[in-house]
Structure formats: C-alpha cells, structure tokens
Amino acid sequence: MAGRHIALVCDWLTTPGGAEKVLLELHRMYPNAPIYTSQYRPKKITWFQDATVKTGWLQFLPASFRRILGPLRQLYFSHLDLTEYDLVISVTGAEAKSVKARKHLCYCHVPTQYYWQMYDKYIKNPGFGILDPFVRFFFKLLVKPLRRLDYRAAQRPDQFVTISSYAAKQIKKYYHRDAQIVYPAVDVAKFMPKKTTKTPTRETSDPYFVISCRQVTWKRVDLAIAACIKAKKPLLVIGDGPEHTNLEKLAAGSDLVTFISWLGAEELSKYLQAANAYIFPSVEPFGIAAVEALAAGCPVIAYDEGGSRDFVIPEKNGMFFPEQTASSLATALKKFRPKDYKRPEVTASAQKFAPNHFQTKIKRLVKELLNA
C-alpha cells in the first residue's frame, strides 16, 4: 500500500513449501516490504532473491536443527521489535506470531503443531534417530511452559487469518481466537492443461497414482507406498526430504513405486495430468500441492480429516478414505475409477484458489486494519 510501511515475517526460509508459497504471494503484493525470519538458506529456496531478507543470531545455527529450535525461536521473535512499521504481516505455524508490532495481521496456517494437535505424534517419533530419547525427555519437560508462551504470543496479533475451516477450528480451540478464512493463493494457471500442448492423458498413458511433497514423517508418504503395494497399483513419488532413504527402503523389492526428484511447475503439471489421481494421505491444514493437482485435472484421493474437506468434493473432483491406514487407502485405490471424473470439471474446482481471490481478500483486511 503506497505510503505505508509494511514488513513481512515468517518462521524460517530453509526449504520450499506451502507456507513459503503464501509468503511469496505476499512478497509479490508488497515487493518493498522486508522479510524478517529466523533462518534463511537462499541456496535451498531461491524464490526470494529479489527480496530484502533479514535474519538474526539464529542464522548461524545449522538449519537441520530447526525442529529443536522452538524455544530459541520463541526468544528471538518475542524480542523482535517491528513497531517502526505501520503494519506487520506474519505467515506462521510456529513462533513468528510473537513479534512486537504496532498493528499485526497474522496469517496463521495452524497452531504450533508440536505443542498442540500433533504433540503425541511428535513425542512418539521426534525424527532424530539415536537422539530421540534425549529429545523426547527434554520436550516432555519443557512443553507446558512452551505452551504457555505460545498461547501468550497468540494473543499479540490484532487479526488472525487462516487457510481452512479445519485450521480456524484449531486456532479457536488452542488460542481462543477467531480467524477469518482466506484460502492460500495457488498458481492454478501454471498447472492447467494447455490447449496448444499435447500432454499424456489418463486414458492413453500407463495408469499410475502420484504424490508430490516434502518427504517428512507427517506427510505420510509411507502410507501411500504401502497402500499402492497392497493394492498392486503403480505409484510415482515426486520430491525429497529427510525420510527419502526410509521410503526407498519401504519400497525396496517392488517395481510398482518410482521415485523422481523435485520438478518445476511445467514438468510437474504433465505428470499430474497423466496420473489417475493424486494421493493426499496426511492431516494438513490445507494442501497446496493437492489443489495444484486439481488444477491439472487430476482427482485427489484424500484422508477424510483436515483441510482437504475444503477442496475435495466427492464424486466431483476426488474421494475420501476414512481411516489413516494402508488398508483403508488401498481399498479406496481399488474402488477409484478415473473415467468417473471429467478433467474440465476437476480443473474448474480449483479456480476459487487462484491468486486474485487471495489478493483481494488480503488487501481488504490490510486496509481495514490500517484504517482502524
């Protein structure tokens, strides 16, 4: 907004992901706004090379420590004074919401998961190998005071915005704050089938299912692999992450599972357009990758929990499976019939997530907050 100084804040910028895509859209809207974060790795995420990114003392710690730096991030952000700006917009699912600001619009995609809704899963599998018992002991010891600090931080923003009905309920449950729903911007145009380009279709290609995401434990790529092997369905796994080696071991001995690395939007869209369906087996507040699949005309088979309920319409653009188990997903894969879904209708269902809708709603909220 001309004549008004705005700053953007995020938890970290170390790998590409859904939250980073939201931040990128805000950066496009407010290109002169500096971005404050705890850690920035420009070689790992190249989207913000034209931005002014500001970090602090946490920048000098290894990015691989990110999952155990929560208390230090809380300390860093709670002392980060941004009152020189007219407005701060934070994109956060962790500690960035605790910054000091004159006016603060918080785009919170989920309450801090390792303190609240995913605490039990995190304790069961912290993801640090032989250090798990050590991390588990100290996290149990510290979680109550950390929850109090997180709750207190959540009272600082003037306005909460979130990405789905599921996320809004989580914010109300844990933070006792109301949140307006503004769906994240998805660049659906990049994934839509091009009329001038002949791409493989589900009817003319060897049928396969696809999943594309960061390979971390809670994304449940393991579930997709186990279910496809059980159902004897080919699966294409796109992406990389700390769980990659474990996933390869899980798929060892099966010629049904194929792994390929990260792809650009144009190439990824071709794989999505040729797939039977996109598998979305995790509980997430939204699911930008799944909406990108819809934009490509690829139906989504999703676990019936979380943000997927805001974009999967049974019998129109996808289907749900009821239990987060390999057997439940395998049953859905066997029932799924690609011919029951019309590609143009699947693509059309993604249009309400196009960037212009996000921009209009965010600009309105920014204007209201600045003029309040």
Side-chain angles (χ1 to χ4, degrees), residues 290-342:
V291 175
E292 290 172 345
L294 293 178
C298 179
V300 173
I301 301 175
Y303 173 47
D304 191 11
E305 184 67 50
S308 60
R309 293 176 177 174
D310 280 23
F311 56 79
V312 173
I313 308 170
E315 300 180 8
K316 295 293 183 181
N317 67 0
M319 65 186 295
F320 290 112
F321 60 97
E323 299 176 3
Q324 202 177 29
T325 64
S327 296
S328 182
L329 175 53
T331 299
L333 294 174
K334 292 176 181 177
K335 289 182 179 179
F336 181 82
R337 298 199 312 171
K339 293 182 180 180
D340 290 345
Y341 300 88
K342 297 179 180 178

Short mmCIF file of all heavy atoms in Angstrom, two decimals, residues 290-342:
data_model
loop_
_atom_site.label_atom_id
_atom_site.label_comp_id
_atom_site.label_asym_id
_atom_site.label_seq_id
_atom_site.Cartn_x
_atom_site.Cartn_y
_atom_site.Cartn_z
N ALA A 290 -2.06 -30.56 -3.43
CA ALA A 290 -3.26 -31.27 -3.87
C ALA A 290 -4.14 -30.38 -4.75
O ALA A 290 -4.72 -30.85 -5.74
CB ALA A 290 -4.05 -31.74 -2.65
N VAL A 291 -4.23 -29.10 -4.43
CA VAL A 291 -5.01 -28.18 -5.27
C VAL A 291 -4.33 -27.97 -6.62
O VAL A 291 -4.99 -27.83 -7.64
CB VAL A 291 -5.22 -26.84 -4.54
CG1 VAL A 291 -5.92 -25.83 -5.45
CG2 VAL A 291 -6.04 -27.05 -3.27
N GLU A 292 -2.99 -27.98 -6.64
CA GLU A 292 -2.27 -27.91 -7.91
C GLU A 292 -2.62 -29.11 -8.78
O GLU A 292 -2.77 -28.99 -10.00
CB GLU A 292 -0.77 -27.86 -7.65
CG GLU A 292 -0.29 -26.55 -7.04
CD GLU A 292 1.17 -26.56 -6.61
OE1 GLU A 292 1.75 -27.66 -6.52
OE2 GLU A 292 1.73 -25.48 -6.34
N ALA A 293 -2.78 -30.27 -8.15
CA ALA A 293 -3.19 -31.47 -8.89
C ALA A 293 -4.59 -31.28 -9.48
O ALA A 293 -4.84 -31.63 -10.64
CB ALA A 293 -3.15 -32.69 -7.97
N LEU A 294 -5.50 -30.74 -8.69
CA LEU A 294 -6.85 -30.48 -9.20
C LEU A 294 -6.80 -29.54 -10.40
O LEU A 294 -7.51 -29.75 -11.39
CB LEU A 294 -7.71 -29.86 -8.10
CG LEU A 294 -8.07 -30.73 -6.90
CD1 LEU A 294 -8.90 -29.94 -5.89
CD2 LEU A 294 -8.82 -31.99 -7.32
N ALA A 295 -5.97 -28.50 -10.32
CA ALA A 295 -5.85 -27.56 -11.42
C ALA A 295 -5.38 -28.25 -12.70
O ALA A 295 -5.74 -27.85 -13.81
CB ALA A 295 -4.88 -26.43 -11.05
N ALA A 296 -4.58 -29.31 -12.53
CA ALA A 296 -4.10 -30.08 -13.68
C ALA A 296 -5.14 -31.07 -14.18
O ALA A 296 -4.90 -31.79 -15.15
CB ALA A 296 -2.82 -30.82 -13.30
N GLY A 297 -6.29 -31.13 -13.53
CA GLY A 297 -7.34 -32.07 -13.92
C GLY A 297 -7.18 -33.43 -13.29
O GLY A 297 -7.79 -34.40 -13.73
N CYS A 298 -6.35 -33.52 -12.25
CA CYS A 298 -6.05 -34.79 -11.58
C CYS A 298 -6.89 -34.90 -10.30
O CYS A 298 -6.70 -34.10 -9.37
CB CYS A 298 -4.56 -34.84 -11.25
SG CYS A 298 -4.03 -36.33 -10.39
N PRO A 299 -7.80 -35.85 -10.21
CA PRO A 299 -8.60 -36.01 -8.99
C PRO A 299 -7.72 -36.31 -7.77
O PRO A 299 -6.58 -36.77 -7.91
CB PRO A 299 -9.50 -37.21 -9.31
CG PRO A 299 -9.49 -37.32 -10.79
CD PRO A 299 -8.14 -36.84 -11.22
N VAL A 300 -8.24 -36.03 -6.59
CA VAL A 300 -7.49 -36.22 -5.35
C VAL A 300 -8.16 -37.26 -4.47
O VAL A 300 -9.37 -37.20 -4.24
CB VAL A 300 -7.36 -34.89 -4.57
CG1 VAL A 300 -6.74 -35.11 -3.20
CG2 VAL A 300 -6.54 -33.88 -5.38
N ILE A 301 -7.38 -38.22 -4.00
CA ILE A 301 -7.84 -39.21 -3.02
C ILE A 301 -7.24 -38.81 -1.68
O ILE A 301 -6.02 -38.90 -1.50
CB ILE A 301 -7.42 -40.64 -3.41
CG1 ILE A 301 -7.99 -41.00 -4.79
CG2 ILE A 301 -7.88 -41.64 -2.36
CD1 ILE A 301 -7.52 -42.35 -5.31
N ALA A 302 -8.06 -38.33 -0.76
CA ALA A 302 -7.56 -37.72 0.47
C ALA A 302 -8.10 -38.42 1.70
O ALA A 302 -9.21 -38.96 1.72
CB ALA A 302 -7.96 -36.24 0.51
N TYR A 303 -7.28 -38.38 2.75
CA TYR A 303 -7.74 -38.83 4.07
C TYR A 303 -8.81 -37.85 4.55
O TYR A 303 -8.65 -36.64 4.45
CB TYR A 303 -6.56 -38.88 5.04
CG TYR A 303 -6.94 -39.18 6.47
CD1 TYR A 303 -7.82 -40.22 6.78
CD2 TYR A 303 -6.43 -38.42 7.51
CE1 TYR A 303 -8.17 -40.49 8.09
CE2 TYR A 303 -6.76 -38.68 8.83
CZ TYR A 303 -7.64 -39.72 9.11
OH TYR A 303 -7.99 -39.97 10.42
N ASP A 304 -9.89 -38.39 5.10
CA ASP A 304 -11.06 -37.59 5.46
C ASP A 304 -10.86 -36.87 6.79
O ASP A 304 -11.55 -37.14 7.78
CB ASP A 304 -12.30 -38.49 5.52
CG ASP A 304 -13.59 -37.68 5.64
OD1 ASP A 304 -13.53 -36.46 5.45
OD2 ASP A 304 -14.64 -38.30 5.94
N GLU A 305 -9.90 -35.95 6.81
CA GLU A 305 -9.61 -35.17 8.01
C GLU A 305 -8.76 -33.98 7.59
O GLU A 305 -7.96 -34.06 6.67
CB GLU A 305 -8.85 -36.01 9.04
CG GLU A 305 -8.58 -35.32 10.37
CD GLU A 305 -9.84 -35.04 11.15
OE1 GLU A 305 -10.66 -35.95 11.34
OE2 GLU A 305 -10.00 -33.88 11.55
N GLY A 306 -8.97 -32.84 8.24
CA GLY A 306 -8.13 -31.68 7.97
C GLY A 306 -8.65 -30.80 6.86
O GLY A 306 -9.83 -30.82 6.49
N GLY A 307 -7.74 -30.03 6.27
CA GLY A 307 -8.10 -29.04 5.27
C GLY A 307 -8.59 -29.60 3.95
O GLY A 307 -9.17 -28.86 3.15
N SER A 308 -8.37 -30.89 3.71
CA SER A 308 -8.82 -31.49 2.44
C SER A 308 -10.33 -31.38 2.27
O SER A 308 -10.83 -31.38 1.14
CB SER A 308 -8.38 -32.95 2.37
OG SER A 308 -8.94 -33.70 3.44
N ARG A 309 -11.06 -31.25 3.38
CA ARG A 309 -12.52 -31.14 3.29
C ARG A 309 -12.96 -29.84 2.63
O ARG A 309 -14.12 -29.72 2.23
CB ARG A 309 -13.12 -31.26 4.69
CG ARG A 309 -12.95 -32.64 5.31
CD ARG A 309 -13.48 -32.68 6.72
NE ARG A 309 -13.39 -34.01 7.32
CZ ARG A 309 -13.69 -34.28 8.58
NH1 ARG A 309 -14.10 -33.32 9.38
NH2 ARG A 309 -13.58 -35.51 9.04
N ASP A 310 -12.05 -28.87 2.53
CA ASP A 310 -12.40 -27.60 1.91
C ASP A 310 -12.22 -27.61 0.40
O ASP A 310 -12.66 -26.68 -0.28
CB ASP A 310 -11.56 -26.47 2.50
CG ASP A 310 -12.09 -25.99 3.85
OD1 ASP A 310 -12.80 -26.77 4.52
OD2 ASP A 310 -11.79 -24.85 4.24
N PHE A 311 -11.55 -28.64 -0.15
CA PHE A 311 -11.36 -28.63 -1.60
C PHE A 311 -11.69 -29.95 -2.29
O PHE A 311 -11.83 -29.98 -3.51
CB PHE A 311 -9.93 -28.20 -1.97
CG PHE A 311 -8.83 -29.01 -1.35
CD1 PHE A 311 -8.47 -30.24 -1.86
CD2 PHE A 311 -8.12 -28.53 -0.27
CE1 PHE A 311 -7.44 -30.99 -1.31
CE2 PHE A 311 -7.08 -29.25 0.30
CZ PHE A 311 -6.74 -30.49 -0.22
N VAL A 312 -11.85 -31.04 -1.56
CA VAL A 312 -12.24 -32.30 -2.19
C VAL A 312 -13.76 -32.44 -2.15
O VAL A 312 -14.37 -32.36 -1.07
CB VAL A 312 -11.59 -33.51 -1.49
CG1 VAL A 312 -12.14 -34.81 -2.06
CG2 VAL A 312 -10.08 -33.47 -1.66
N ILE A 313 -14.35 -32.61 -3.31
CA ILE A 313 -15.80 -32.78 -3.43
C ILE A 313 -16.04 -34.20 -3.95
O ILE A 313 -15.79 -34.48 -5.12
CB ILE A 313 -16.40 -31.76 -4.41
CG1 ILE A 313 -15.98 -30.34 -4.02
CG2 ILE A 313 -17.93 -31.88 -4.43
CD1 ILE A 313 -16.33 -29.30 -5.07
N PRO A 314 -16.50 -35.11 -3.09
CA PRO A 314 -16.70 -36.50 -3.52
C PRO A 314 -17.57 -36.61 -4.77
O PRO A 314 -18.57 -35.90 -4.92
CB PRO A 314 -17.38 -37.14 -2.30
CG PRO A 314 -16.91 -36.32 -1.14
CD PRO A 314 -16.83 -34.91 -1.67
N GLU A 315 -17.14 -37.47 -5.66
CA GLU A 315 -17.80 -37.76 -6.93
C GLU A 315 -17.69 -36.63 -7.95
O GLU A 315 -18.16 -36.76 -9.07
CB GLU A 315 -19.28 -38.11 -6.72
CG GLU A 315 -19.50 -39.34 -5.84
CD GLU A 315 -20.97 -39.66 -5.65
OE1 GLU A 315 -21.81 -39.03 -6.32
OE2 GLU A 315 -21.28 -40.55 -4.83
N LYS A 316 -17.05 -35.52 -7.56
CA LYS A 316 -16.83 -34.41 -8.49
C LYS A 316 -15.35 -34.25 -8.84
O LYS A 316 -15.00 -34.18 -10.02
CB LYS A 316 -17.36 -33.11 -7.88
CG LYS A 316 -18.87 -33.08 -7.66
CD LYS A 316 -19.62 -33.09 -8.96
CE LYS A 316 -21.12 -32.98 -8.73
NZ LYS A 316 -21.89 -33.01 -10.01
N ASN A 317 -14.51 -34.18 -7.81
CA ASN A 317 -13.07 -34.00 -8.09
C ASN A 317 -12.19 -34.92 -7.26
O ASN A 317 -10.97 -34.74 -7.22
CB ASN A 317 -12.67 -32.54 -7.88
CG ASN A 317 -12.75 -32.10 -6.43
OD1 ASN A 317 -13.12 -32.89 -5.56
ND2 ASN A 317 -12.43 -30.85 -6.16
N GLY A 318 -12.80 -35.90 -6.60
CA GLY A 318 -11.99 -36.82 -5.82
C GLY A 318 -12.82 -37.66 -4.87
O GLY A 318 -14.06 -37.71 -4.99
N MET A 319 -12.16 -38.29 -3.92
CA MET A 319 -12.83 -39.13 -2.94
C MET A 319 -12.03 -39.15 -1.66
O MET A 319 -10.84 -38.85 -1.64
CB MET A 319 -13.03 -40.55 -3.49
CG MET A 319 -11.73 -41.30 -3.74
SD MET A 319 -12.00 -42.92 -4.55
CE MET A 319 -12.91 -43.80 -3.29
N PHE A 320 -12.69 -39.53 -0.56
CA PHE A 320 -12.04 -39.64 0.74
C PHE A 320 -11.86 -41.11 1.12
O PHE A 320 -12.62 -41.97 0.68
CB PHE A 320 -12.87 -38.97 1.83
CG PHE A 320 -12.92 -37.48 1.74
CD1 PHE A 320 -14.11 -36.82 1.40
CD2 PHE A 320 -11.79 -36.71 2.00
CE1 PHE A 320 -14.16 -35.44 1.33
CE2 PHE A 320 -11.84 -35.32 1.92
CZ PHE A 320 -13.02 -34.69 1.59
N PHE A 321 -10.84 -41.38 1.94
CA PHE A 321 -10.76 -42.69 2.60
C PHE A 321 -10.85 -42.43 4.11
O PHE A 321 -10.29 -41.46 4.62
CB PHE A 321 -9.51 -43.47 2.21
CG PHE A 321 -8.20 -42.83 2.52
CD1 PHE A 321 -7.49 -43.16 3.67
CD2 PHE A 321 -7.63 -41.88 1.65
CE1 PHE A 321 -6.26 -42.59 3.95
CE2 PHE A 321 -6.40 -41.30 1.93
CZ PHE A 321 -5.71 -41.66 3.08
N PRO A 322 -11.58 -43.27 4.86
CA PRO A 322 -11.99 -42.93 6.22
C PRO A 322 -10.95 -43.11 7.31
O PRO A 322 -11.02 -42.44 8.35
CB PRO A 322 -13.18 -43.86 6.46
CG PRO A 322 -12.91 -45.05 5.59
CD PRO A 322 -12.23 -44.50 4.37
N GLU A 323 -10.00 -44.02 7.15
CA GLU A 323 -9.02 -44.28 8.20
C GLU A 323 -7.61 -44.06 7.66
O GLU A 323 -7.32 -44.38 6.50
CB GLU A 323 -9.15 -45.72 8.72
CG GLU A 323 -10.51 -46.02 9.34
CD GLU A 323 -10.64 -47.47 9.76
OE1 GLU A 323 -9.65 -48.21 9.60
OE2 GLU A 323 -11.71 -47.86 10.22
N GLN A 324 -6.73 -43.52 8.51
CA GLN A 324 -5.36 -43.25 8.08
C GLN A 324 -4.51 -44.51 8.20
O GLN A 324 -3.55 -44.58 8.96
CB GLN A 324 -4.76 -42.09 8.90
CG GLN A 324 -3.60 -41.40 8.22
CD GLN A 324 -3.09 -40.22 9.01
OE1 GLN A 324 -3.18 -40.20 10.23
NE2 GLN A 324 -2.53 -39.22 8.33
N THR A 325 -4.88 -45.51 7.39
CA THR A 325 -4.19 -46.79 7.36
C THR A 325 -3.97 -47.21 5.92
O THR A 325 -4.68 -46.76 5.01
CB THR A 325 -5.01 -47.89 8.07
OG1 THR A 325 -6.24 -48.11 7.35
CG2 THR A 325 -5.32 -47.50 9.51
N ALA A 326 -3.00 -48.09 5.72
CA ALA A 326 -2.71 -48.58 4.37
C ALA A 326 -3.90 -49.36 3.81
O ALA A 326 -4.21 -49.27 2.63
CB ALA A 326 -1.46 -49.45 4.39
N SER A 327 -4.57 -50.11 4.67
CA SER A 327 -5.72 -50.91 4.22
C SER A 327 -6.87 -50.03 3.74
O SER A 327 -7.48 -50.30 2.70
CB SER A 327 -6.21 -51.82 5.35
OG SER A 327 -5.22 -52.76 5.70
N SER A 328 -7.15 -48.97 4.49
CA SER A 328 -8.23 -48.06 4.11
C SER A 328 -7.92 -47.36 2.79
O SER A 328 -8.79 -47.25 1.91
CB SER A 328 -8.46 -47.03 5.22
OG SER A 328 -9.52 -46.16 4.90
N LEU A 329 -6.69 -46.89 2.63
CA LEU A 329 -6.30 -46.23 1.39
C LEU A 329 -6.27 -47.22 0.23
O LEU A 329 -6.70 -46.90 -0.88
CB LEU A 329 -4.93 -45.57 1.56
CG LEU A 329 -4.31 -44.92 0.31
CD1 LEU A 329 -5.27 -43.93 -0.33
CD2 LEU A 329 -2.99 -44.23 0.67
N ALA A 330 -5.78 -48.43 0.47
CA ALA A 330 -5.74 -49.45 -0.59
C ALA A 330 -7.14 -49.76 -1.10
O ALA A 330 -7.36 -49.93 -2.30
CB ALA A 330 -5.06 -50.71 -0.06
N THR A 331 -8.11 -49.82 -0.19
CA THR A 331 -9.49 -50.06 -0.58
C THR A 331 -10.01 -48.95 -1.49
O THR A 331 -10.68 -49.19 -2.50
CB THR A 331 -10.40 -50.17 0.66
OG1 THR A 331 -9.96 -51.27 1.45
CG2 THR A 331 -11.85 -50.39 0.27
N ALA A 332 -9.66 -47.70 -1.14
CA ALA A 332 -10.07 -46.56 -1.96
C ALA A 332 -9.42 -46.62 -3.34
O ALA A 332 -10.07 -46.32 -4.36
CB ALA A 332 -9.70 -45.25 -1.25
N LEU A 333 -8.16 -47.00 -3.39
CA LEU A 333 -7.46 -47.09 -4.67
C LEU A 333 -8.11 -48.13 -5.59
O LEU A 333 -8.20 -47.93 -6.80
CB LEU A 333 -5.99 -47.46 -4.43
CG LEU A 333 -5.13 -46.41 -3.71
CD1 LEU A 333 -3.74 -46.98 -3.43
CD2 LEU A 333 -5.02 -45.13 -4.52
N LYS A 334 -8.55 -49.22 -5.00
CA LYS A 334 -9.20 -50.26 -5.79
C LYS A 334 -10.57 -49.82 -6.30
O LYS A 334 -11.00 -50.19 -7.38
CB LYS A 334 -9.35 -51.53 -4.95
CG LYS A 334 -8.03 -52.22 -4.63
CD LYS A 334 -8.25 -53.42 -3.71
CE LYS A 334 -6.94 -54.11 -3.36
NZ LYS A 334 -7.14 -55.24 -2.42
N LYS A 335 -11.26 -48.99 -5.49
CA LYS A 335 -12.59 -48.51 -5.88
C LYS A 335 -12.52 -47.38 -6.90
O LYS A 335 -13.47 -47.16 -7.65
CB LYS A 335 -13.35 -48.02 -4.64
CG LYS A 335 -13.79 -49.12 -3.69
CD LYS A 335 -14.56 -48.53 -2.52
CE LYS A 335 -15.05 -49.61 -1.57
NZ LYS A 335 -15.79 -49.03 -0.40
N PHE A 336 -11.42 -46.65 -6.90
CA PHE A 336 -11.31 -45.46 -7.74
C PHE A 336 -11.36 -45.82 -9.22
O PHE A 336 -10.65 -46.71 -9.69
CB PHE A 336 -10.00 -44.74 -7.43
CG PHE A 336 -9.81 -43.48 -8.23
CD1 PHE A 336 -10.40 -42.30 -7.84
CD2 PHE A 336 -9.03 -43.49 -9.38
CE1 PHE A 336 -10.23 -41.14 -8.58
CE2 PHE A 336 -8.86 -42.34 -10.13
CZ PHE A 336 -9.46 -41.16 -9.73
N ARG A 337 -12.19 -45.07 -9.96
CA ARG A 337 -12.30 -45.27 -11.41
C ARG A 337 -12.07 -43.92 -12.10
O ARG A 337 -12.91 -43.02 -12.00
CB ARG A 337 -13.68 -45.81 -11.77
CG ARG A 337 -13.99 -47.17 -11.16
CD ARG A 337 -15.13 -47.88 -11.87
NE ARG A 337 -16.28 -47.01 -12.09
CZ ARG A 337 -17.32 -47.35 -12.85
NH1 ARG A 337 -17.34 -48.52 -13.47
NH2 ARG A 337 -18.34 -46.52 -12.99
N PRO A 338 -10.96 -43.77 -12.80
CA PRO A 338 -10.64 -42.48 -13.43
C PRO A 338 -11.72 -41.97 -14.37
O PRO A 338 -11.94 -40.75 -14.47
CB PRO A 338 -9.35 -42.80 -14.20
CG PRO A 338 -8.76 -43.97 -13.50
CD PRO A 338 -9.92 -44.78 -13.01
N LYS A 339 -12.41 -42.87 -15.05
CA LYS A 339 -13.42 -42.46 -16.03
C LYS A 339 -14.64 -41.81 -15.39
O LYS A 339 -15.46 -41.21 -16.09
CB LYS A 339 -13.83 -43.66 -16.88
CG LYS A 339 -12.72 -44.17 -17.79
CD LYS A 339 -13.19 -45.33 -18.65
CE LYS A 339 -12.07 -45.83 -19.56
NZ LYS A 339 -12.51 -46.97 -20.41
N ASP A 340 -14.77 -41.93 -14.07
CA ASP A 340 -15.89 -41.30 -13.38
C ASP A 340 -15.70 -39.80 -13.22
O ASP A 340 -16.63 -39.10 -12.79
CB ASP A 340 -16.08 -41.93 -11.99
CG ASP A 340 -16.61 -43.36 -12.06
OD1 ASP A 340 -17.09 -43.75 -13.14
OD2 ASP A 340 -16.52 -44.07 -11.04
N TYR A 341 -14.51 -39.30 -13.56
CA TYR A 341 -14.20 -37.90 -13.33
C TYR A 341 -13.89 -37.20 -14.65
O TYR A 341 -13.10 -37.71 -15.46
CB TYR A 341 -13.01 -37.75 -12.38
CG TYR A 341 -13.28 -38.37 -11.04
CD1 TYR A 341 -12.99 -39.72 -10.81
CD2 TYR A 341 -13.84 -37.63 -10.01
CE1 TYR A 341 -13.26 -40.31 -9.58
CE2 TYR A 341 -14.11 -38.21 -8.77
CZ TYR A 341 -13.81 -39.55 -8.56
OH TYR A 341 -14.09 -40.12 -7.36
N LYS A 342 -14.51 -36.05 -14.88
CA LYS A 342 -14.27 -35.28 -16.09
C LYS A 342 -13.20 -34.23 -15.81
O LYS A 342 -13.33 -33.40 -14.92
CB LYS A 342 -15.57 -34.61 -16.55
CG LYS A 342 -16.66 -35.62 -16.91
CD LYS A 342 -17.94 -34.91 -17.34
CE LYS A 342 -19.02 -35.92 -17.70
NZ LYS A 342 -20.30 -35.24 -18.08
#
